[in-house]
């Protein structure tokens, strides 16, 4: 399992679970930083210690062998797997070079040490500065918040308004620092996948020229180098497209209101202050609380940023606490099955209290500000700005009139293709549908290449008929475009990067969903690469009697339509006499 994705919305909640996931990234970043320092040290030793060259190279080789990439998400693309394995490949190659060592290493500093040092100082250093700022603003914000929530409601209104303004300002500064830190630390984790490997690749290429058999070794290394460069370029392209989407998501989250219901498994969650009665008065302690509306389950955890005891209660009722009845602001009372009497809770703000009361069916129902509505509104603003700068097209029907004349001087290729791409991108539901999105992603995460192709084709046939027809037209055209990649530079990989986010997108706008864009690209790549391998009509060579309800019975010579690979090895999905089911692959011939 790789590193967990950090959601921008979690920056507003600042939950213990968010802090734990953030700690995982910080540990990995520290490990990476230590590894870079060690790698630089080993490189300098390789340059300066000429007499101990063999021992230095072996140590350096072992360092590469031991290091393992950790990627965000639960699966890796083929490119990422190859990149992760590249260090082991480099290690083996270094051992081979060491056996035939003839010449000394030169110019290693420019191609190896400097880029790694630059990455460590500029990228990891920036992440560490972001952590310092985040820690500072965290401590400052919660200190101010404690003082703010301790203010008496009987203070002058002007003083309360001034205090509200101050806490809002501090909260915004804290949120900004949190968002920027989350964005930067995940960016560094993604960047290292290619910014580590590229300097090493350049170093190795230069190293060969100083050995007696350097040219022969370089010739043997060349195919792997080209494949790795292809993997790196694909990963870089995926990174750039994903980074842009994640950055846009961060902007949308930043523009949203501070108090809103973030997407998650709970109806409502966040920090609340709980009144605890004592013999000589009462105290208020901070708890992280969650509430599930369907089961009316309310939980409270009183430990801050640590896992600890949790109280699980069943809610009976919720009511707003009148201001003149308590010396605190933003309070409301709840009754639970497990306790007698009421539990008084204090929210972080008036709007936060309204959200809690609405979730608990309290007395004051208000409009529920969801992340979906805010993100949708923000997206509409972006799209409105976008359309003002675009050429608006009315796409012709699939069967255009024969006399339709598109003047090439008016309708150039770029305008038409841009309009088509924008049309597909702006569909209310993507062409490959939300319903099948997760199935497509899971299919291409398989290690079995043949299964990927079969599973993707099988899922395509589950699309609505109009969607499937339009997808077929588009993929057929993209397949033709890819055959001329030497001239137009539109390789299958590049087309996947362009049309992956266009034809597929997740219904949820989260960082975890954004990290799956690279798998969307692979789905499109599979469709383009294997377009000419799809079959649709077959004839039975032998008769067959079905043994299960999902299989077809048919006589010799039967004709099948809509034939395509099944995820079951050795079987095809086909339609015969209006019924669709499985048929043995070796019982039919295609024509």
């Amino acid at each position: 399992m790789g590193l967990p994705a950090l959601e921008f919305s979690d920056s507003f909640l600042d939950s213990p679970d968010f802090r734990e996931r953030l700690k995982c990234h910080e540990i990995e970043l520290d490990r990476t930083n230590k590894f870079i320092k060690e790698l630089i040290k080993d490189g300098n030793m390789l340059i300066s210690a000429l007499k101990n060259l063999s021992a230095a190279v072996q140590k350096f080789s072992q360092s590469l062998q031991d290091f393992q990439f950790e990627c965000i998400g639960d699966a890796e693309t083929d490119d990422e797997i190859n990149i992760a394995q590249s260090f082991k490949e480099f290690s083996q190659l270094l051992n081979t070079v060491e056996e035939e060592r003839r010449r000394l290493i030169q110019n290693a500093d420019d191609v190896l040490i400097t880029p790694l040092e630059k990455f460590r100082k500029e990228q990891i250093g920036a992440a560490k500065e972001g952590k310092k700022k985040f820690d500072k603003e965290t401590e400052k914000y919660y200190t101010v918040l404690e003082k703010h929530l301790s203010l008496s409601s009987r203070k002058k209104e002007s003083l309360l308004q001034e205090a509200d303004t101050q806490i809002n300002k501090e909260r915004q500064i804290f949120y900004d620092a949190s968002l920027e830190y989350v964005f930067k630390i995940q960016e560094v984790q993604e960047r290292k996948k290619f910014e580590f490997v590229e300097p090493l690749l350049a170093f190795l290429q230069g190293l060969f020229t100083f050995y007696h058999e350097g040219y022969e070794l370089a010739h043997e290394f060349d195919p792997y180098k080209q494949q790795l460069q292809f993997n790196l370029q694909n990963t870089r392209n995926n990174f750039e497209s994903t980074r842009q989407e994640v950055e846009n998501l961060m902007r949308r989250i930043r523009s949203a209101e501070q108090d809103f219901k973030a997407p998650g498994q709970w109806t409502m969650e966040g920090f609340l202050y709980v009144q605890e009665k004592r013999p000589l008065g009462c105290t208020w302690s901070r708890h992280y609380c969650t509430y599930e509306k369907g089961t009316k389950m309310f939980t409270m955890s009183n430990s801050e940023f640590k896992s600890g005891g949790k109280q699980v209660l069943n809610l009976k009722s919720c009511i707003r606490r009148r201001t003149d009845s308590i010396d605190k602001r933003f309070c409301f009372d709840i009754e639970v099955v497990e306790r007698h009497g009421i539990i008084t809770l204090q929210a972080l703000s008036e709007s936060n209290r309204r959200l809690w009361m609405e979730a608990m069916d309290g007395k004051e129902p208000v409009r529920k500000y969801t992340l979906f509505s805010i993100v949708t509104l923000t997206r509409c603003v972006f799209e409105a700005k976008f359309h003002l700068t675009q050429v608006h097209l009315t796409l012709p029907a699939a069967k255009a009139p024969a006399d339709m004349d598109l003047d090439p001087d008016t309708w150039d290729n770029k305008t038409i293709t841009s309009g088509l791409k924008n049309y597909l991108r702006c569909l209310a539901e993507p062409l490959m549908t939300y319903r099948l999105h997760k199935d497509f992603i899971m299919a291409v995460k398989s290690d079995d290449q043949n299964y990927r192709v079969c599973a993707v084709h099988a899922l395509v046939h589950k699309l609505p008929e109009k969607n499937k027809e339009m997808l077929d037209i588009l993929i057929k055209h993209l397949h033709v475009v890819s055959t001329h990649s030497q001239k137009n530079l539109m390789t299958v990989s590049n087309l996947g990067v362009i049309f992956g986010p266009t034809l597929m997108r997740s219904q949820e706008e989260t960082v975890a969903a954004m990290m799956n864009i690279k798998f969307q690209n692979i789905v499109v790549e599979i469709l383009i690469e294997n377009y000419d391998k799809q079959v649709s009509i077959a004839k039975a060579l032998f008769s067959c009697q079905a043994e299960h309800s999902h299989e077809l019975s048919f006589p010799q010579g039967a004709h099948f339509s809509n034939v395509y690979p099944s995820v079951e090895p050795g079987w095809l999905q086909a339609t015969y006499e209006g019924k669709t089911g499985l048929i043995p692959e070796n019982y039919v011939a295609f024509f």
Side-chain angles (χ1 to χ4, degrees):
M1 178 63 77
L3 293 172
L6 298 175
E7 300 297 343
F8 291 120
S9 58
D10 287 344
S11 296
F12 292 92
L13 295 174
D14 197 26
S15 66
D17 179 63
F18 167 70
R19 290 292 183 134
E20 289 293 333
R21 287 185 276 119
L22 187 61
K23 186 65 176 178
C24 292
H25 282 261
E26 292 171 347
I27 292 174
E28 175 60 20
L29 194 64
D30 289 338
R31 189 172 73 93
T32 302
N33 187 40
K34 292 177 181 177
F35 171 74
I36 293 178
K37 290 181 178 179
E38 185 67 20
L39 204 60
I40 293 173
K41 177 182 177 182
D42 292 344
N44 286 326
M45 183 186 300
L46 194 62
I47 297 171
S48 60
L50 301 179
K51 294 182 180 180
N52 299 319
L53 181 59
S54 179
V57 172
Q58 289 176 8
K59 186 177 184 300
F60 185 74
S61 175
Q62 189 60 45
S63 297
L64 297 179
Q65 181 72 25
D66 294 340
F67 184 76
Q68 179 64 41
F69 278 110
E70 291 290 348
C71 301
I72 298 176
D74 59 354
E76 298 176 347
T77 64
D78 291 341
D79 293 324
E80 290 173 336
I81 292 174
N82 290 340
I83 289 174
Q85 290 295 324
S86 62
F87 279 2
K88 291 180 173 56
E89 295 290 336
F90 295 155
S91 177
Q92 295 175 4
L93 191 56
L94 283 172
N95 290 333
T96 303
V97 171
E98 181 56 28
E99 293 175 358
E100 300 178 355
R101 177 171 57 92
R102 294 292 183 269
R103 308 184 71 171
L104 303 177
I105 300 174
Q106 296 178 356
N107 299 325
D109 186 77
D110 293 337
V111 298
L112 178 65
I113 306 301
T114 302
L116 290 177
E117 190 66 40
K118 181 180 179 182
F119 175 79
R120 188 178 69 85
K121 291 180 178 179
E122 294 182 0
Q123 299 300 325
I124 297 181
K128 288 186 175 182
E129 289 298 319
K131 174 175 172 54
K132 291 179 181 179
K133 181 180 178 182
F134 172 67
D135 291 339
K136 178 182 177 182
E137 295 301 332
T138 297
E139 182 179 358
K140 183 179 179 182
Y141 168 65
Y142 281 113
T143 300
V144 174
L145 181 61
E146 296 278 356
K147 294 180 180 179
H148 177 70
L149 294 176
S150 299
L151 286 176
S152 172
S153 59
R154 295 185 177 86
K155 293 281 188 179
K156 291 184 179 180
E157 185 62 25
S158 59
L159 292 178
L160 293 178
Q161 290 180 357
E162 182 180 355
D164 289 344
T165 302
Q166 180 64 26
I167 192 63
N168 289 337
K169 179 180 177 182
E170 294 298 333
R171 183 184 294 114
Q172 187 59 52
I173 294 173
F174 167 68
Y175 287 163
D176 287 345
S178 179
L179 287 170
E180 291 171 2
Y181 180 46
V182 168
F183 175 77
K184 187 60 183 178
I185 197 170
Q186 292 191 111
E187 179 187 21
V188 174
Q189 299 289 12
E190 288 291 293
R191 278 183 178 275
K192 71 179 183 182
K193 289 188 289 191
F194 49 85
E195 293 203 9
F196 271 15
V197 179
E198 286 177 334
L200 289 165
L201 187 63
F203 163 71
L204 289 174
Q205 186 62 39
L207 182 62
F208 293 147
T209 60
F210 294 96
Y211 283 85
H212 181 69
E213 310 233 352
Y215 289 104
E216 291 185 9
L217 290 173
H219 179 71
E220 295 175 1
F221 180 72
D222 197 56
Y224 178 77
K225 182 192 72 173
Q226 292 179 0
Q227 179 61 42
L228 185 57
Q229 287 175 329
F230 177 76
N231 298 142
L232 291 168
Q233 188 59 47
N234 286 348
T235 304
R236 182 185 291 275
N237 292 340
N238 288 332
F239 166 77
E240 292 298 338
S241 62
T242 303
R243 182 182 184 277
Q244 184 177 2
E245 295 290 339
V246 173
E247 192 170 8
N248 290 338
L249 175 61
M250 184 186 72
R251 292 196 187 101
R252 292 195 293 272
I253 294 294
R254 176 179 286 174
S255 66
E257 295 183 14
Q258 294 172 2
D259 290 306
F260 67 94
K261 168 65 180 71
Q265 67 180 107
W266 307 107
T267 306
M268 189 64 187
E269 62 178 315
F271 282 107
L272 292 172
Y273 283 77
V274 181
Q275 185 186 55
E276 297 179 355
K277 296 181 179 180
R278 300 286 186 240
L280 300 178
C282 65
T283 61
W284 294 83
S285 57
R286 189 156 63 107
H287 289 62
Y288 192 81
C289 304
T290 63
Y291 178 68
E292 171 56 45
K293 192 169 186 177
T295 60
K296 292 192 175 183
M297 184 177 69
F298 180 70
T299 65
M300 299 191 301
S301 302
N302 61 5
S303 58
E304 297 181 8
F305 311 134
K306 296 180 181 180
S307 59
K310 181 183 295 184
Q311 301 179 55
V312 181
L313 307 170
N314 289 294
L315 184 72
K316 290 172 60 179
S317 65
C318 170
I319 187 170
R320 181 179 66 85
R321 185 68 177 263
R322 293 176 58 86
T323 304
D324 56 6
S325 67
I326 190 170
D327 190 28
K328 292 287 184 179
R329 307 172 69 198
F330 320 132
C331 294
F332 60 99
D333 296 334
I334 63 171
E335 287 185 296
V336 296
V337 175
E338 291 78 6
R339 294 188 186 181
H340 295 292
I342 64 172
I343 301 175
T344 300
L345 305 173
Q346 183 184 28
L348 303 184
S349 65
E350 181 60 34
S351 58
N352 184 243
R353 176 173 66 174
R354 287 199 300 268
L355 291 177
W356 275 104
M357 291 186 63
E358 183 191 25
M360 295 179 171
D361 294 325
K363 276 191 172 182
E364 299 180 357
V366 294
R367 180 175 181 268
K368 186 174 183 180
Y369 295 92
T370 64
L371 180 61
F372 175 78
S373 62
I374 294 172
V375 170
T376 302
L377 177 61
T378 309
R379 180 190 296 158
C380 290
V381 174
F382 278 118
E383 290 181 355
K385 293 180 180 179
F386 174 76
H387 283 297
L388 290 175
T389 61
Q390 301 300 307
V391 178
H392 293 272
L393 297 178
T394 301
L395 295 178
K399 296 182 179 179
D403 59 349
M404 176 176 284
D405 182 21
L406 294 177
D407 185 0
D409 295 331
T410 303
W411 302 96
D412 61 273
N413 291 338
K414 292 182 179 179
T415 301
I416 294 174
T417 54
S418 177
L420 175 61
K421 182 172 177 288
N422 184 49
Y423 163 74
L424 294 172
R425 188 85 180 230
C426 295
L427 288 174
E429 183 177 21
L431 190 64
M432 299 177 74
T433 71
Y434 290 133
R435 180 174 62 88
L436 297 176
H437 180 83
K438 290 183 179 179
D439 294 334
F440 276 113
I441 296 299
M442 290 302 299
V444 298
K445 285 183 178 181
S446 171
D447 294 333
D448 189 332
Q449 297 279 358
N450 292 329
Y451 174 83
R452 293 184 193 176
V453 177
C454 293
V456 168
H457 283 163
L459 290 169
V460 166
H461 286 271
K462 292 183 179 181
L463 291 170
E465 195 61 36
K466 293 296 183 182
N467 295 50
K468 185 169 63 175
E469 181 181 353
M470 186 169 187
L471 181 64
D472 181 73
I473 295 172
L474 178 62
I475 296 300
K476 179 180 179 181
H477 172 68
L478 296 181
H479 176 71
V480 174
V481 171
S482 68
T483 59
H484 299 83
S485 59
Q486 290 186 347
K487 293 183 179 179
N488 58 30
L489 303 181
M490 284 292 100
T491 62
V492 172
S493 176
N494 289 339
L495 291 171
V497 171
I498 295 171
F499 283 91
T502 299
L503 301 179
M504 296 179 63
R505 65 177 182 271
S506 173
Q507 199 164 8
E508 301 84 19
E509 289 191 321
T510 63
V511 173
M514 299 299 179
M515 292 303 170
N516 279 332
I517 289 178
K518 55 195 176 186
F519 294 107
Q520 297 173 193
N521 302 345
I522 294 175
V523 172
V524 176
E525 290 178 26
I526 289 175
L527 292 175
I528 297 173
E529 281 183 327
N530 298 275
Y531 178 80
D532 55 352
K533 299 177 184 178
Q534 300 183 56
V535 295
S536 58
I537 302 176
K539 180 180 179 181
L541 300 177
F542 314 99
S543 61
C544 180
Q545 184 65 35
E547 296 181 357
H548 303 282
S549 59
H550 58 276
E551 298 175 3
L552 294 178
S553 297
F554 51 87
Q556 183 179 4
H559 286 74
F560 304 96
S561 61
N562 200 27
V563 183
Y564 58 91
S566 168
V567 294
E568 298 288 340
W571 293 82
L572 301 172
Q573 192 85 5
T575 300
Y576 175 62
E577 294 183 345
K579 184 179 179 181
T580 299
L582 297 178
I583 60 174
E585 185 175 9
N586 57 351
Y587 273 51
V588 299
F590 301 102
F591 60 92

